[in-house]
Amino acid sequence: MRALLTDAARTLVPPRADRHGPLPPLMLTLTLVTGIVDAVSYLGLGHVFVANMTGNVVFLGFALTGAQGLSASASLVSLAVFLTGALAGGRLATRLVAHRGRLLAVATGVQTVLFGAAAATAAAADGRVTTGVEYALIVLLGLAMGLQNAVARRLGVPDMTTTVLTLTLTGLAADSTPAGGAAPRPGRRILSVLAMFLGALIGALLVLHTHLAAALGLALLLLLVTALVTHHVSTADAHWAPPTS
């Protein structure tokens, strides 16, 4: 328990000499955003994901069999725009990978613009999610989440993918002491799971009891704060800035 709490504390408030500097808490914030966004897409846009592509692939298979409440076209569009966002994120990372802080700052800045457009679209619709609004939001949010996933991959912070928890959960069990493992980074892994859960919970509450625009506005605020903080801490001589490999 002490090791878990110590690791969680180091994730939330990294020591000055930590190899990844302030990246872990910033990426936890992005994980929170992912939970909110998937609540918006699944509950508000017709049972489709814009961040969880594993779920989307499964939904596509279900939809093609004629399963009710699922749209093959929505899943295909989401997959396509996610991959486009990931491609853009890969190109951005190639240009900025020498300084991980600047890479994250630029990426979250772009996400902020995309989420701003999504929030404005939802607000203008005033609760009426027509087919046009649905697909506009899928495109904007899918591009943003593809970008986030690609950049998180290039940042290389262990157990901080920000969008996928299957391997994180597997690691918690498979690397645990009862399994004969060394149980590395248990606090960080649990915090990642909790961040996604909390984002999904808050996002669902906002979607079901207020408005899509409220959930998207919260995600927008979190991204804006992440972008500004990352820009502030990304000094040229930051010891954590160089890539991990």
Side-chain angles (χ1 to χ4, degrees):
M1 178 61 72
R2 178 178 295 180
L4 187 153
L5 293 175
T6 299
D7 184 56
R10 288 172 61 92
T11 298
L12 293 171
V13 186
R16 286 184 177 273
D18 188 89
R19 173 65 184 89
H20 300 290
L23 291 176
L26 293 169
M27 296 180 75
L28 275 178
T29 306
L30 296 182
T31 306
L32 184 67
V33 169
T34 298
I36 296 171
V37 168
D38 267 341
V40 168
S41 64
Y42 184 81
L43 298 174
L45 302 180
H47 295 177
V48 65
F49 285 120
V50 294
N52 180 4
M53 289 301 111
T54 301
N56 245 2
V57 171
V58 172
F59 285 170
L60 177 59
F62 293 165
L64 290 175
T65 68
Q68 297 298 310
L70 297 172
S71 167
S73 60
S75 292
L76 282 171
V77 169
S78 184
L79 283 164
V81 295
F82 182 92
L83 289 173
T84 302
L87 175 64
R91 290 183 65 86
L92 182 66
T94 299
R95 293 172 178 268
L96 300 176
V97 72
H99 197 297
R100 293 189 296 168
R102 290 174 182 164
L103 170 59
L104 183 59
V106 172
T108 50
V110 173
Q111 282 187 274
T112 299
V113 173
L114 291 169
F115 268 74
T121 299
D126 194 27
R128 297 184 300 275
V129 183
T130 62
T131 300
V133 170
E134 176 187 344
Y135 280 92
L137 292 177
I138 288 173
V139 169
L140 291 166
L141 298 175
L143 286 171
M145 299 314 293
L147 174 68
Q148 176 178 307
N149 204 61
V151 169
R153 176 183 174 89
R154 195 63 66 92
L155 292 175
V157 181
D159 298 309
M160 288 287 173
T161 64
T162 77
T163 57
V164 181
L165 290 181
T166 302
L167 290 178
T168 303
L169 288 167
T170 301
L172 274 172
D175 299 338
S176 66
T177 302
R185 301 178 298 277
R188 177 179 296 181
R189 289 172 172 178
I190 289 175
L191 284 174
S192 292
V193 174
L194 289 176
M196 185 79 77
F197 169 78
L198 183 61
L201 178 65
I202 294 172
L205 287 171
L206 291 173
V207 170
L208 295 176
H209 300 291
T210 59
H211 198 291
L212 279 181
L216 290 171
L218 176 58
L220 172 63
L221 177 62
L222 291 171
L223 285 169
L224 178 60
V225 170
T226 301
L228 293 174
V229 170
T230 306
H231 176 74
H232 177 71
V233 300
S234 296
T235 57
D237 58 349
H239 73 275
W240 49 270
T244 54
S245 60

